[in-house]
Amino acid sequence: MADLIAPHGGLTEPVCCTVSASEIDAFKASAQGLKQVPVSSADVSSVYRFADGTLSPLTGPMDSKTYNLVLDESVIEHNGKKYAWTIPIAFPVTSALAKTLAVGETVALTNPEGEIIGTLELTDVYVWNKTKYLSSVYGTGRLDHAGASMVLTGPDAEKAYLVGGKIRALPQPKNPKFGQYVLTPREVRKLLAETGWDSVVAFQTRNPLHRAHEYALVYALEKLLRDGKNAGAVLNPLIGETKGDDVNAVVRMETYEKLISERQMGDGDSDTALWAARGESVPDRVKLLGLDIKMFYGGPKEAIMHAIYRQNMGYTHIVIGRKHADVPYADGSNIWGDFDAQEIFNKLGGDLKIQPVNVGFAAYYESMGRVDLMENHKDEKPLFISGKDVRATLLRGEMVDSRVMRESTSRVLAAAMKQ
């Protein structure tokens, strides 16, 4: 069966720069003699995503021309055509290391443990204009936000240069806890073809799901079904490097797995008439797949990147909620407007084939006995439980109110917090 959607960049298939199984030993032996360039734990995932095609049509970190085109116009150029791209990706290095690198040479890329994970044929070594980067990506001159902290106080704080070039990478090791859910774009496309679905909507998240979050996926899937699509949905959490206060990937993946396997997703909140007519329920059309790539906490611009990753994976649609990929300033005030991540899809200067399914805020309403969109209840107050209260409940080993969080999710989180 043909793919449901072409990869980004006008390609007919995703990029593949991953070393084949038969080449691994020779590749490792050859790379041992190369100059080494370390990459941060966050950028390790980018090495693998360049290699497996998640970042198609790119074949490696950007050179300065491409990097600045993204900052200036939010596009890349490929084969003479412009394609949407909103956050540039290149690998930071120290000034001392940059002085030893030459365009044209091939270097070994190493992870924080010092292991060689790939090679990079250098096409550019250039100064990292961090001020321009932060201003363009985050749309603010303020620096008291998570994105700026990653650049100015994290592992990249002392790195003043960027390198661009072409990647070759070893296959990514599988996480023993959830590796079966993390597939390459080619593997995802094959899996989707086997479902027989003609449309697939991806749901991006970095958190355990409350029922209000879950409802966004249910809403999007039901919209596609009502539009006459033979549609499915993929709960597609991001499991790359996130902020230190985010729930770790192992625990989160267990909550998602239980939500589907225990068939709680959509229970009580879905359109019963729609599903009864089909002889199905929501979990019948939902799969769990993870995406290992770092968060930028970039709001609207990251919403576009999340869409690009998913187009390359083979998904036709992506859920875009209000405040997508949003974090506030350190004082709690908003960086972006509620709808900015939805509106940016109408302002692109380059091609993007995947379609957004816009969803507003949702909450539990006593009048309905279920979760619904808040825009449908302008004069009614929803049930609200603060994040602080949710955390305190879980720390006591108790279940969160089932109107807010599914019992399966509460159970996993409470057990993890007790440890």
Side-chain angles (χ1 to χ4, degrees):
M1 181 180 288
D3 288 339
L4 300 179
I5 192 170
H8 197 48
L11 305 183
T12 56
E13 60 181 9
V15 162
C16 182
C17 301
T18 301
V19 176
S20 66
S22 62
E23 298 177 279
I24 289 175
D25 290 342
F27 180 85
K28 286 182 176 179
S30 175
Q32 286 294 336
L34 300 175
K35 187 180 301 174
Q36 295 190 353
V37 172
V39 294
S40 68
S41 57
D43 284 328
V44 164
S45 62
S46 299
V47 172
Y48 293 123
R49 300 295 75 78
F50 280 123
D52 71 14
T54 302
L55 296 170
S56 296
L58 302 182
T59 56
M62 295 175 172
D63 60 19
S64 57
K65 179 181 178 182
T66 305
Y67 195 94
N68 282 297
L69 183 61
V70 172
L71 294 182
D72 294 337
E73 300 183 30
S74 291
V75 298
I76 57 172
E77 290 185 353
H78 188 69
N79 291 334
K81 185 176 178 181
K82 291 184 176 181
Y83 295 89
W85 201 287
T86 46
I87 301 180
I89 305 175
F91 295 152
V93 296
T94 64
S95 300
L97 180 56
K99 291 174 183 176
T100 72
L101 302 176
V103 170
E105 76 173 310
T106 298
V107 297
L109 299 174
T110 61
N111 63 19
E113 291 71 46
E115 302 163 327
I116 294 174
I117 58 173
T119 61
L120 178 66
E121 181 184 344
L122 291 167
T123 60
D124 206 356
V125 181
Y126 54 103
V127 173
W128 187 6
N129 187 335
K130 294 184 179 183
T131 300
K132 181 178 181 181
Y133 169 81
L134 292 172
S135 176
S136 172
V137 171
Y138 298 95
T140 175
R142 287 177 60 171
L143 300 176
D144 57 327
H145 56 86
S149 295
M150 292 168 66
V151 172
L152 300 176
T153 63
D156 294 336
E158 303 304 316
K159 298 174 182 177
Y161 282 76
L162 297 169
V163 294
K166 184 168 183 178
I167 288 275
R168 290 200 75 207
L170 293 165
Q172 185 174 15
K174 290 280 192 182
N175 185 294
K177 296 286 189 180
F178 54 76
Q180 73 270 29
Y181 296 115
V182 184
L183 306 180
T184 69
R186 281 173 167 75
E187 291 170 336
V188 174
R189 286 168 176 267
K190 182 175 183 293
L191 177 66
L192 296 181
E194 292 168 353
T195 66
W197 296 336
D198 60 20
S199 301
V200 184
V201 60
F203 181 76
Q204 153 74 31
T205 184
R206 69 176 194 268
N207 297 304
L209 299 188
H210 292 204
R211 279 177 67 173
H213 299 147
E214 172 195 316
Y215 182 72
L217 181 151
V218 174
Y219 172 93
L221 174 57
E222 291 182 343
K223 182 179 187 304
L224 294 181
L225 291 172
R226 290 193 196 96
D227 288 345
K229 304 289 188 183
N230 177 23
V234 173
L235 176 52
N236 195 214
L238 188 144
I239 57 170
E241 180 147 310
T242 55
K243 294 192 285 85
D245 57 350
D246 286 343
V247 177
N248 74 63
V250 171
V251 174
R252 285 193 291 116
M253 289 300 284
E254 186 180 356
T255 68
Y256 307 139
E257 186 179 47
K258 298 294 185 186
L259 187 60
I260 297 172
S261 67
E262 297 186 13
R263 302 186 66 80
Q264 294 187 358
M265 177 173 281
D267 185 28
D269 298 330
S270 57
D271 183 336
T272 53
L274 174 70
W275 291 100
R278 307 185 69 89
E280 297 176 310
S281 61
V282 173
D284 295 322
R285 288 184 173 265
V286 178
K287 292 187 177 295
L288 172 62
L289 292 172
L291 174 58
D292 183 10
I293 199 164
K294 73 176 184 179
M295 279 290 298
F296 293 91
Y297 301 97
K301 295 227 171 160
E302 190 158 18
I304 300 300
M305 297 307 301
H306 286 164
I308 291 169
Y309 310 152
R310 274 46 181 236
Q311 180 177 327
N312 282 325
M313 288 283 176
Y315 308 128
T316 57
H317 297 75
I318 181 172
V319 178
I320 301 295
R322 290 165 66 179
K323 292 184 172 293
H324 188 103
D326 189 283
V327 293
Y329 288 115
D331 63 8
S333 61
N334 294 326
I335 303 176
W336 308 285
D338 288 355
F339 296 99
D340 287 3
Q342 297 179 355
E343 293 170 355
I344 193 174
F345 281 83
N346 301 319
K347 304 173 184 176
L348 300 178
D351 180 78
L352 181 65
K353 298 197 180 306
I354 191 171
Q355 296 295 307
V357 180
N358 294 336
V359 184
F361 287 146
Y364 186 94
Y365 286 91
E366 293 288 1
S367 62
M368 297 185 69
R370 55 164 284 185
V371 172
D372 194 23
L373 294 177
M374 294 177 70
E375 63 201 50
N376 298 332
H377 301 264
K378 291 183 167 56
D379 298 323
E380 184 180 354
K381 187 176 180 179
L383 175 72
F384 177 75
I385 299 177
S386 73
K388 181 180 179 181
D389 287 341
V390 167
R391 181 173 178 81
T393 299
L394 293 169
L395 284 170
R396 293 194 301 269
E398 299 173 4
M399 299 296 98
V400 176
D401 190 320
S402 62
R403 296 172 296 178
V404 172
M405 181 179 286
R406 300 293 184 187
E407 187 273 337
S408 63
T409 301
S410 289
R411 187 173 68 244
V412 173
L413 293 178
M417 287 187 178
K418 284 181 70 175
Q419 294 175 7

